[in-house]
Amino acid sequence: MRDDPTHRHDAATWSPLDTDDWYAARNATTALRDALLRAGLEKDFPYLRADLNAFGHGLVDLGRVSPATAERLAELLRLALSAGLQRLREGGDGATEHRGEED
């Protein structure tokens, strides 16, 4: 029964695994980890993890990084953003269009 104490959900039984924010943070962390691996920065972010703040909002924790690592990451982001803007100016969005063709 729904009113049975074993089936009720209250703050005492809350789990981050019951929230969409947890899974969004985990998926974002995985995507960031994959990008850092491709950039050769995996050793610079040993404490990368998904987390929730006190309000249950998902976040990605990079851990402590050196100023040099932060500068390298900032430069990679600048390059990626400028490449994306250049592609948009050229009329492409990077997405492949399917025009009724079977895969």
Side-chain angles (χ1 to χ4, degrees):
M1 259 182 122
R2 173 168 264 199
D3 293 329
D4 184 10
T6 59
H7 288 82
R8 278 188 279 179
H9 187 80
D10 62 16
T13 62
W14 178 87
S15 167
L17 300 177
D18 294 336
T19 67
D20 291 336
D21 287 336
W22 164 249
Y23 287 100
R26 188 186 69 174
N27 292 340
T29 302
T30 301
L32 181 57
R33 181 204 63 209
D34 293 346
L36 292 171
L37 285 168
R38 285 192 300 274
L41 294 171
E42 67 275 5
K43 292 183 180 176
D44 295 316
F45 294 92
Y47 301 110
L48 180 67
R49 66 187 178 105
D51 205 348
L52 295 177
N53 67 12
F55 302 102
H57 299 144
L59 56 96
V60 175
D61 186 356
L62 297 176
R64 293 181 178 177
V65 296
S66 70
T69 298
E71 285 295 327
R72 288 176 63 200
L73 183 58
E75 183 59 28
L76 286 171
L77 291 170
R78 281 191 288 272
L79 289 170
L81 288 170
S82 66
L85 290 174
Q86 182 64 32
R87 199 173 353 187
L88 285 174
R89 286 186 194 115
E90 293 170 357
D93 63 359
T96 304
E97 292 184 24
H98 295 282
R99 296 189 176 124
E101 301 166 20
E102 297 291 334
D103 288 333

